[in-house]
Structure formats: C-alpha cells, structure tokens
Amino acid sequence: MSGTGKLKLALPLAALIALFMAMYPLFIMRPFDSQSPRQLQAALYIARWGPPTTLTLFVLGMFATAFAWRSARWPWRAVSIVLLLLLGGSVALANTNIFEKMFHPRGTPQFVANADAHLDSDDMLLLVKIGNEAHAYPIRSMGYHHIVNDVVDTVPIVATY
Amino acid sequence: MRDAETGSYWQQISGRAIAGPLKGKTLNLVHSDEISFGLWSREEPSGRVLAAVPEAQSHYEKKDWEARYAKLPTVIAGPPDLNGRELVLGIKTQNASRAYPYDKVRQQKLIADSIGATAVIVVLGPDNLSVRAFENRLPSTQKGTDFYRTAKAGDSEFALTDSETGSEWDFRGCALAGPLRGTCLRPIEIIKDHWFDWAHYNPDTTVYAR
C-alpha cells in the first residue's frame, strides 16, 4: 500500500476509534439500565481518556487529510470532510459529560428559618447535625439536586440523595 | 459522584471511590436522620432549612413522588423476600445487615432487635413518619435493656422508658428524666432505600420478621 493509501486508511480508522471512545461510556451508563462492575470500570476508564485521545486522533486525522488531499479525487475528499466532522463531533462529545449536564448540584447552599421554609409538616428532610450546628435538606429538592456541597460547623460535607 | 479535584468517581451509597486516582478510598460517613419538617420544627424551633432555588423549584419532586416511584420498574430484580420497590430501613453493623420494612416499623412503632452482635432499637417518632435507631446499650451499665414506648399524659408526644432505670428518653435518644438524665444512646445509621437497591449492595442482608 502506498503512503497516500495508508493515510487514507488512517482517517476512517481514527474516526472509528474516536466515535467508540465518545459513545461507549454513553451507551454503558445510559439511564434506566444496569451495568456490570467490569462494564462500568471500562466505561469510566474510556471516559477519562476520551478527551485527550479523541483530540489527538482529530489532529492526526487533519494531518492525514492534508497530506493525502492533493493526490485525492473528490469522492475521497468528500468522505474525508465527513470523517473529519465525525472526528470533531467525537472530540466535542468526549469533552462533554452529558450525564453531568442532566444534574444540578448545589454548591453554595442558602438556608432559611423554619418559619420561612414553606414546607408541609409531613415533608421529609435529610438532617445533619455536627456540633451545635444543624442543616436540614428537604428530600423533595434533594431528589432534583442530588448533591449539596456544604459546610456544617466548619466541617465540609457532601449531602447526597 | 465525581470530585472536582481528582476526577475520581464515588459511589453515593457507600462513599467509596470506584474509579480514578482515589479508587479504593472511602469518604467518612456523617450521621444523618430523615425526619419530617413538622418534627424538625418541634425539635429545633430556631432551626434552618435549605432554601429552594427559585428557577429550579418547578422541577422539585411533587408530594406524591414516592407513590409514583413505587410503580416504576427496577433496573435489576431484587431477591424475592420483598417487592423490589418496597421501602426498607437498612441498618448495617460491623458484621451484619438487616432491612426493616418501613410499613412494619410504622405498625410496630418500637422494635428491639439484634443485628449481628449489636443490640438495637428502631423507633418510630411521634409524627408517625420519622424513624431513628439507637444501640441498645445504656450509658451507665453498657448493657442492653427493655424499652417501652409510652405516651405522656395529655400530650401527643411520646417517651421511651427503659426497664433498667425507669429513665425517660426522647426521640433523639437522650434521657430527659430519671437516673440517666443528660445521657444519650448511641445513634445507629439508617439508610431508607428500595429493597432491590439495599439488597444489591448488602447481599448478605436479612429481613426483619421474615
């Protein structure tokens, strides 16, 4: 195979690998389905290395396209543009944790007096008391935020539901 | 959960990092209670509650959220001891774990039990919603005893009385009257969970009264 031929082969391969690295974590960690510990470990590992790997593949793909461009005809040129777009999309996807985008943790929680809380007496709270300081987190709001990063009596805590 | 400093992923139910640079490490569990706002207001009239985020408030769970979730399918099938979505109060001691069906606790109001080598009492609060658990070990004798749930005269509140000393204990596990006044029982952590999830992370769990 010629050098140009190898470069033309490299681009689809790079696009395929990048797509896998972007999509595999999303597929494994999809909502409303279970994962085995091994699958989850693999997905988290790939998610962690996805951003630098897909970016590297994208850059290599750009070089491969540039080198092969002159000798290539338009059918291949069109395919290479599509593959580069796919590579770019994979880079964007690998750098965006869409599952984290779905959630809204509280980082700077504000508290109100019980009298101003507008809660019903049967609304349930998650209560944390450290020393003489107590913080109460309504369950119905914790079901949305899922995480509150807080400090109770100088102790940093994460309340999670 | 993912921590911003190292990017490690942490399991919510165990507090253990399962991936990333801190894999294998465990966060320190801070004791928490799940109690009603009504009870909280009585226990701490000057207490404070997390404020709602105005733009997110429409997304907060509605009052009937537990009834809706009870109808949802589970991602894995739990053991057949209980229905997968049945609410249980999970307690784990050093060497054993047990699930207490929430409805049963509400019926019985006071359960004296042993989980492994640890004697516990599981107590329903005066609001008939909140539940706390304590180690059944008196501060004075370091031994267990029988507790009785009694109603105060002319009051909807309740008290726990121990048969050893006759001291009266409140729902926070502290003696308000009697020889042990001013001392408190050691609280035991409860996780309120769906059966399928509790059983998955505690495969050796037993079920109270099964």
Side-chain angles (χ1 to χ4, degrees):
Chain A
M1 189 184 288
S2 68
T4 307
K6 287 178 185 173
L7 287 171
K8 286 180 181 177
L9 185 61
L11 185 58
L13 193 60
L16 205 62
I17 294 172
L19 188 65
F20 172 80
M21 295 203 74
M23 294 301 296
Y24 183 80
L26 296 180
F27 176 74
I28 293 298
M29 293 190 279
R30 64 191 183 279
F32 307 115
D33 206 344
S34 62
Q35 311 86 21
S36 71
R38 194 170 282 185
Q39 283 177 320
L40 183 60
Q41 289 289 337
L44 290 174
Y45 184 81
I46 289 170
R48 194 151 182 264
W49 291 105
T53 308
T54 54
L55 184 63
T56 303
L57 290 170
F58 180 65
V59 172
L60 290 175
M62 293 275 281
F63 276 114
T65 304
F67 279 121
W69 191 262
R70 266 196 170 185
S71 62
R73 293 182 184 175
W74 261 107
W76 188 89
R77 287 184 178 183
V79 167
S80 66
I81 289 171
V82 170
L83 290 174
L84 280 177
L85 287 172
L86 194 62
L87 262 170
S90 297
V91 174
L93 204 55
N95 280 277
T96 307
N97 190 328
I98 62 171
F99 296 123
E100 288 191 18
K101 296 284 183 197
M102 291 165 58
F103 296 100
H104 309 275
R106 301 272 311 254
T108 50
Q110 306 294 318
F111 292 85
V112 296
N114 285 348
D116 301 323
H118 302 295
L119 294 172
D120 297 334
S121 60
D122 61 349
D123 279 328
M124 301 304 284
L125 311 172
L126 186 67
L127 177 67
V128 174
K129 187 167 184 177
I130 299 176
N132 290 322
E133 193 171 334
H135 287 189
Y137 313 97
I139 296 290
R140 284 166 56 196
S141 67
M142 289 297 289
Y144 173 75
H145 295 292
H146 291 286
I147 291 176
V148 178
N149 293 293
D150 198 7
V151 178
V152 183
D153 195 18
T154 75
V155 178
I157 69 162
V158 56
T160 178
Y161 195 81
Chain B
M1 307 185 289
R2 183 182 61 83
D3 74 82
E5 183 165 326
T6 72
S8 302
Y9 286 87
W10 306 77
Q11 246 182 6
Q12 288 169 289
I13 195 163
S14 64
R16 189 169 56 88
I18 61 170
L22 296 179
K23 181 179 176 181
K25 302 287 186 189
T26 305
L27 298 170
N28 293 327
L29 181 66
V30 174
H31 181 78
S32 64
D33 289 318
E34 184 172 321
I35 66 171
S36 69
F37 177 65
L39 185 61
W40 168 238
S41 299
R42 293 205 295 275
E43 287 188 352
E44 299 278 351
S46 57
R48 297 170 69 78
V49 175
L50 182 70
V53 176
E55 53 270 25
Q57 213 163 352
S58 63
H59 299 290
Y60 291 172
E61 296 288 357
K62 305 295 182 284
K63 288 286 281 190
D64 66 342
W65 76 275
E66 284 190 322
R68 284 187 294 107
Y69 273 72
K71 297 174 188 171
L72 293 177
T74 58
V75 294
I76 53 173
D81 308 60
L82 297 171
N83 183 288
R85 284 279 179 189
E86 181 156 354
L87 279 177
V88 298
L89 305 175
I91 297 179
K92 188 171 183 175
T93 61
Q94 277 189 334
N95 51 8
S97 56
R98 182 158 295 161
Y100 296 82
Y102 182 50
D103 285 344
K104 193 165 283 286
V105 175
R106 292 187 72 190
Q107 281 171 15
Q108 293 190 219
K109 303 186 191 299
L110 171 62
I111 295 171
D113 198 11
S114 289
I115 306 174
T118 306
V120 302
I121 54 170
V122 183
V123 189
L124 181 70
D127 61 349
N128 288 321
L129 290 171
S130 311
V131 180
R132 285 184 172 131
F134 305 95
E135 185 177 10
N136 185 349
R137 187 200 289 233
L138 292 180
S140 53
T141 62
Q142 295 298 304
K143 290 179 183 175
T145 184
D146 291 326
F147 281 87
Y148 300 92
R149 187 187 166 106
T150 55
K152 289 184 181 175
D155 198 314
S156 63
E157 296 290 315
F158 85 106
L160 290 178
T161 305
D162 73 87
S163 62
E164 178 77 20
T165 71
S167 301
E168 269 190 5
W169 306 78
D170 69 3
F171 186 53
R172 283 179 277 201
C174 296
L176 301 181
L180 295 182
R181 181 180 172 184
T183 65
C184 297
L185 301 172
R186 185 174 77 88
I188 299 277
E189 200 65 39
I190 292 177
I191 291 182
K192 191 177 179 185
D193 199 355
H194 289 121
W195 164 246
F196 82 93
D197 192 62
W198 172 259
H200 181 67
Y201 290 101
N202 297 275
D204 296 329
T205 188
T206 51
V207 181
Y208 173 70
R210 279 294 189 280

